[in-house]
């Protein structure tokens, strides 16, 4: 199943040799082929244009499905009780910050070493959050996919969905690794995580 954006770009270039040439080999540490990386970068532009709204959707869905995470965000727990979560400036700021982190991760997919450095560092910083556990990262997976689908609408094809699934899993695996490796370096025992 090919990426529609690749086909469109290739037809606009009108160079048959570009179409027929196999893509350069990707980094074996990445779950994405170069073609899939191209597709997510093209698709991600649609999300980036609505980054704040997508981030808010992600967090609303995250808290709906994992109310236990609200204890990590004291401000958000109060807002949820008062029904003000959707219009919260604090939620908007935090959601946008998280989406920018995902943006940096996605933009660095073409350079796996830079990706690992960045995403694992972000994972390690979560030791500063009281009560945070490595498995909390995995709770973002489904809300992220739902938020991407909401934002992209009919552009969220089965092919794009599969690429987003591979991408978010790769990001979350490396957030967990950064968190756990940092805990070992700081003398903490790594926690078992779900996958």
């Amino acid at each position: 199943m090919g990426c529609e954006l690749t086909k469109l770009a290739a037809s606009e270039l009108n160079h048959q040799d570009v179409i027929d040439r196999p893509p350069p080999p990707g980094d074996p540490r990445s779950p994405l082929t170069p073609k899939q990386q191209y597709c997510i970068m093209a698709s991600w532009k649609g999300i980036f244009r609505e980054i704040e709204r997508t981030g808010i959707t992600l967090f609303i869905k995250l808290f709906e499905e994992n109310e236990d995470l609200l204890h990590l965000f004291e401000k958000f727990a109060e807002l949820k009780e008062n029904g003000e979560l959707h219009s919260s400036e604090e939620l908007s700021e935090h959601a946008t910050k998280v989406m920018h982190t995902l943006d940096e991760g996605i933009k660095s997919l073409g350079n796996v070493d830079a990706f690992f450095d960045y995403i694992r560092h972000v994972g390690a910083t979560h030791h500063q959050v009281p009560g945070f556990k490595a498995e909390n990262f995995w709770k973002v997976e489904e809300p992220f996919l739902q938020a991407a689908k909401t934002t992209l609408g009919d552009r969220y094809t089965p092919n794009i969905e599969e690429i987003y699934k591979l991408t978010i899993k790769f990001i979350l695996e490396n957030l967990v690794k950064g968190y756990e490796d940092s805990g070992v370096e700081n003398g903490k025992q790594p926690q078992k995580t779900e996958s």
Side-chain angles (χ1 to χ4, degrees), residues 38-99:
Y38 174 82
C39 288
I40 196 159
M41 291 301 297
S43 169
W44 185 252
K45 290 175 186 173
I47 289 180
F48 192 79
R49 281 191 289 271
E50 298 186 47
I51 198 163
E52 181 179 343
R53 185 173 70 85
T54 305
I56 290 170
T57 301
L58 185 159
F59 272 91
I60 297 293
K61 291 182 183 304
L62 178 68
F63 293 144
E64 284 174 356
E65 295 172 14
N66 302 279
E67 202 164 306
D68 59 308
L69 291 182
L70 279 168
H71 77 278
L72 298 173
F73 305 92
E74 290 177 24
K75 290 183 235 173
F76 300 162
E78 284 177 28
L79 293 168
K80 187 171 189 319
E81 287 174 19
N82 298 332
E84 300 170 359
L85 204 52
H86 285 276
S87 59
S88 163
E89 188 64 35
E90 290 95 346
L91 178 63
S92 175
E93 286 175 18
H94 186 75
T96 302
K97 182 179 175 185
V98 168
M99 291 300 292

Side-chain angles (χ1 to χ4, degrees), residues 23-193:
D27 190 313
R29 298 171 296 171
S30 171
L32 300 177
T33 66
K35 187 174 185 177
Q36 289 172 320
Q37 287 178 22
Y38 174 82
C39 288
I40 196 159
M41 291 301 297
S43 169
W44 185 252
K45 290 175 186 173
I47 289 180
F48 192 79
R49 281 191 289 271
E50 298 186 47
I51 198 163
E52 181 179 343
R53 185 173 70 85
T54 305
I56 290 170
T57 301
L58 185 159
F59 272 91
I60 297 293
K61 291 182 183 304
L62 178 68
F63 293 144
E64 284 174 356
E65 295 172 14
N66 302 279
E67 202 164 306
D68 59 308
L69 291 182
L70 279 168
H71 77 278
L72 298 173
F73 305 92
E74 290 177 24
K75 290 183 235 173
F76 300 162
E78 284 177 28
L79 293 168
K80 187 171 189 319
E81 287 174 19
N82 298 332
E84 300 170 359
L85 204 52
H86 285 276
S87 59
S88 163
E89 188 64 35
E90 290 95 346
L91 178 63
S92 175
E93 286 175 18
H94 186 75
T96 302
K97 182 179 175 185
V98 168
M99 291 300 292
H100 277 286
T101 298
L102 291 170
D103 176 60
E104 286 298 316
I106 288 171
K107 285 181 178 173
S108 67
L109 284 167
N111 179 344
V112 176
D113 289 322
F115 171 86
F116 287 153
D117 287 346
Y118 179 72
I119 293 296
R120 291 176 183 176
H121 169 75
V122 170
T125 64
H126 282 72
H127 279 288
Q128 300 166 12
V129 179
F132 190 87
K133 296 176 182 164
E135 61 261 19
N136 292 343
F137 286 121
W138 288 107
K139 295 178 180 179
V140 172
E141 185 173 17
E142 282 306 313
F144 170 79
L145 294 169
Q146 292 171 24
K149 182 177 184 174
T150 299
T151 298
L152 292 173
D154 60 2
R155 295 171 290 170
Y156 194 75
T157 64
N159 183 49
I160 292 297
E161 178 180 27
E162 185 58 31
I163 294 169
Y164 273 86
K165 285 180 178 179
L166 290 170
T167 301
I168 193 62
K169 184 175 182 191
F170 190 50
I171 289 171
L172 296 174
E173 285 171 350
N174 283 284
L175 285 168
V176 168
K177 181 154 180 50
Y179 182 85
E180 290 178 344
D181 289 353
S182 173
V184 171
E185 289 169 15
N186 294 319
K188 297 178 182 174
Q189 292 296 321
Q191 302 167 347
K192 299 270 188 232
T193 59

